[in-house]
Amino acid sequence: MAKIDIISGFLGAGKTTLIQKLLKEALKGEKVVLIENEFGEIGIDGGFLKDAGIEVTEMNSGCICCSLVGDFGSALKEVVTQYNPDRIIIEPSGVGKLSDVIKAVQGVAEDVELDLNSFVTVADAKKCKMYMKNFGEFYNNQVEYAGSIILSRTGDVAEDKLNESVALLREHNEKAAIITTPWDELSGEQILKVMEDGNDMVKELLEEEEICPVCGGHHDHEHHHEHDHEHHHHDHDEECSCGCGHDHDHDHEHHHHHDHDEECSCGCGHDHDHHHHHHADEVFTSWGKETPKKYNKEELDTILQKLSKDDSYGMILRSKGILQTEDGSWIQFDLVPGEYEIREGSADYTGRICVIGSKLKEDELEGLFF
Ligand SMILES: Nc1nc2c(ncn2[C@@H]2O[C@H](COP(=O)(O)OP(=O)(O)OP(=O)(O)O)[C@@H](O)[C@H]2O)c(=O)[nH]1
């Protein structure tokens, strides 16, 4: 029976880096298929895994959420029947809700035998607070549903910042093991063990609670099938996963009452009677270009510096690309808020740039790169 590992995490958290480490250090003898779901028009990852003989199924048409559950389900079924792998690693898009992905996998598990092995969330140790504040609806969902949380970049972060991040994550997940040791000090096997030990919790979660098909929350809906938020029953004392920012008290019979005369506090302008969660594409947008243009390294450095710090292009959350340089070599770049990396790469069929963010200003981006 194929084991399913879901490796979620916000844009640029380090999911692909973690998967590479696991494949190299812990899963060598196994037949593994990776299902990647990138948000953005142009898929940039994938190549290196294909080169390593790993089967990669990419889904770039949108994120695995309500609207794509069917497509995702058929892709997953096809992978099982076609390859009969030991393990399927699912890398949802950085803006996917983990509960949506779990729900989709559960749906497939009704038809095909699957072992729901681990639900993991990778989180950038430096940016938990910022992401929770700005994109809590998506970010907190990934934290809440994780069996284990693997912090990235812990080697570059001050201890008090790391402690603060762990405390914030704990507010949203009481039980998950949280890896705080830098990855290069751990073996892939050590990490895999923590991921799989979270397994018992995953089983518990699946047995005891059903994932709400409307909001994706894991509350007890036995007596509350009406999703009008009149009496929305949460059985945990965390913030509401809809991102409304309301705290739930410790009373397990707490009745969640939104004042529906008001607009959603997130500013989306939706009346929550009819729509009480957001799709990723309502909040995040992507801009992508394919180009034969040759860049020089200094020029690219200036561009990325602006993109990582300046807010004149919208709120930039992630950018990556592969471009040819003036001397004929190829470079790849990776950018998350406040930091970026440029490295040598191998030739590709053409140059590609992808930017993901919120309220992107496409004309300004065009002007920056071209
Ligand atoms: N210093 C440091 N950099 C890291 C770490 N993890 C990831 N990175 C870097 O962060 C960038 C993003 O990492 P990815 O593994 O591509 O992140 P991802 O979550 O797959 O990103 P998406 O493609 O947006 O889903 C890359 O430049 C990585 O090299 C870490 O623990 N330490």
Side-chain angles (χ1 to χ4, degrees):
M1 198 190 326
K3 288 181 180 167
I4 305 282
D5 297 308
I6 304 176
I7 315 256
S8 78
F10 204 67
L11 297 161
K15 301 177 288 295
T16 307
T17 309
L18 175 71
I19 292 169
Q20 272 179 291
K21 183 174 170 78
L22 293 172
L23 289 171
K24 207 161 89 196
E25 297 176 21
L27 304 173
K28 269 242 159 87
E30 291 189 22
K31 191 165 158 194
V32 181
V33 175
L34 173 68
I35 301 182
E36 270 198 331
N37 176 217
E38 286 200 62
F39 184 84
E41 292 155 37
I42 298 178
I44 305 265
D45 293 337
F48 71 89
L49 292 164
K50 283 176 195 150
D51 294 346
I54 303 291
E55 207 55 58
V56 182
T57 303
E58 287 179 48
M59 300 184 62
N60 291 336
S61 49
C63 81
I64 311 169
C65 69
C66 323
S67 57
L68 256 187
V69 164
D71 293 357
F72 170 73
S74 34
L76 182 55
K77 267 186 222 163
E78 200 181 304
V79 162
V80 176
T81 49
Q82 197 175 337
Y83 301 105
N84 189 27
D86 301 315
R87 191 184 291 267
I88 300 170
I89 298 179
I90 300 171
E91 182 187 346
S93 97
V95 292
K97 291 182 187 169
L98 180 53
S99 59
D100 282 338
V101 185
I102 295 174
K103 189 165 35 111
V105 174
Q106 282 175 319
V108 176
E110 287 173 12
D111 302 339
V112 185
E113 274 204 295
L114 294 174
D115 172 8
L116 306 186
N117 188 49
S118 69
F119 304 161
V120 176
T121 292
V122 182
D124 184 334
K126 292 181 194 169
K127 303 189 182 77
C128 296
K129 192 173 175 182
M130 188 269 278
Y131 289 145
M132 276 185 186
K133 180 165 165 263
N134 294 299
F135 305 104
E137 176 180 357
F138 298 87
Y139 190 83
N140 296 347
N141 179 281
Q142 295 177 356
V143 174
E144 284 164 16
Y145 284 87
S148 51
I149 297 169
I150 304 186
L151 290 180
S152 63
R153 300 182 178 85
T154 57
D156 316 333
V157 74
E159 197 180 324
D160 55 349
K161 184 77 192 166
L162 181 59
N163 285 332
E164 180 191 61
S165 293
V166 170
L168 285 169
L169 294 167
R170 268 284 168 256
E171 283 178 22
H172 292 274
N173 191 324
E174 282 174 25
K175 295 191 202 162
I178 303 181
I179 296 189
T180 56
T181 307
W183 302 356
D184 49 12
E185 293 174 30
L186 297 171
S187 68
E189 274 149 0
Q190 279 177 297
I191 295 178
L192 186 64
K193 181 157 184 344
V194 175
M195 286 167 50
E196 294 192 332
D197 285 349
N199 194 13
D200 298 343
M201 275 164 40
V202 167
K203 298 240 154 79
E204 236 173 73
L205 181 79
L206 295 179
E207 276 161 21
E208 286 175 12
E209 296 171 20
E210 241 183 85
I211 299 213
C212 165
V214 177
C215 66
H218 49 117
H219 25 255
D220 170 12
H221 276 283
E222 246 180 86
H223 309 292
H224 300 272
H225 291 294
E226 288 294 321
H227 277 276
D228 57 7
H229 263 190
E230 280 283 304
H231 290 97
H232 195 165
H233 177 125
H234 283 254
D235 65 357
H236 46 175
D237 51 9
E238 295 151 10
E239 253 189 19
C240 173
S241 60
C242 72
C244 62
H246 290 159
D247 263 324
H248 296 283
D249 60 23
H250 293 261
D251 176 1
H252 279 212
E253 289 303 315
H254 167 69
H255 284 183
H256 187 166
H257 198 106
H258 282 266
D259 180 350
H260 289 296
D261 294 337
E262 277 175 31
E263 272 189 358
C264 172
S265 58
C266 72
C268 66
H270 288 146
D271 172 347
H272 274 208
D273 256 347
H274 302 296
H275 191 115
H276 84 243
H277 71 304
H278 304 101
H279 293 279
D281 57 10
E282 293 174 302
V283 181
F284 305 99
T285 51
S286 80
W287 175 85
K289 276 272 157 5
E290 292 195 326
T291 177
K293 179 173 153 74
K294 292 182 179 171
Y295 290 79
N296 74 47
K297 284 183 192 157
E298 292 71 41
E299 182 189 6
L300 187 64
D301 200 70
T302 310
I303 291 175
L304 296 179
Q305 200 145 19
K306 284 189 190 153
L307 201 60
S308 66
K309 298 216 164 72
D310 207 324
D311 58 10
S312 36
Y313 310 97
M315 186 165 188
I316 306 296
L317 295 168
R318 183 82 171 102
S319 177
K320 43 189 170 177
I322 304 173
L323 295 167
Q324 194 169 18
T325 61
E326 283 169 346
D327 62 18
S329 64
W330 287 77
I331 43 176
Q332 297 184 350
F333 69 85
D334 258 298
L335 177 146
V336 293
E339 53 197 298
Y340 63 90
E341 182 185 286
I342 300 176
R343 52 184 188 273
E344 300 287 321
S346 48
D348 213 320
Y349 66 89
T350 190
R352 287 175 289 160
I353 303 162
C354 174
V355 179
I356 301 173
S358 180
K359 303 190 172 75
L360 289 184
K361 295 182 185 155
E362 301 203 349
D363 293 345
E364 273 81 352
L365 284 169
E366 183 87 34
L368 180 66
F369 279 97
F370 295 99

